[in-house]
Amino acid sequence: AHDRAVLQLFANACQEGKNAKAWRLAREVKQDHGLVACNKIAERIGLVSLSNRINKLREQRMEEEIL
């Protein structure tokens, strides 16, 4: 439920061009599949740099899980 609410806010921020807010919201997403959804939203809207940052965040989280 938390991630779903954050995803809605993330999508709104992306559509409004509020990239800094969208990035803050993406970091609040707890589960990996939520970050995948954020990435898809950012890509669809054409926010390549935001999409890249989300991918890096996913990679960092995966590395932390391994260690």
Side-chain angles (χ1 to χ4, degrees):
H2 172 267
D3 281 0
R4 186 176 299 135
V6 174
L7 277 170
Q8 289 174 337
L9 293 171
F10 176 84
N12 289 342
C14 287
Q15 289 169 349
E16 294 170 4
K18 297 179 179 176
N19 294 6
K21 181 178 181 179
W23 173 238
R24 283 194 305 273
L25 289 164
R27 291 189 320 230
E28 293 295 319
V29 173
K30 294 179 180 176
Q31 297 184 4
D32 185 63
H33 68 267
L35 283 178
V36 171
C38 284
N39 192 36
K40 287 181 183 177
I41 292 167
E43 284 179 347
R44 271 193 219 123
I45 296 176
L47 303 173
V48 177
S49 63
L50 181 59
S51 173
N52 290 338
R53 290 171 79 183
I54 293 168
N55 279 330
K56 287 178 186 171
L57 177 62
R58 287 186 65 220
E59 290 171 9
Q60 288 173 348
R61 287 185 180 182
M62 286 181 198
E63 287 175 9
E64 288 172 7
E65 286 179 14
I66 292 170
L67 298 177

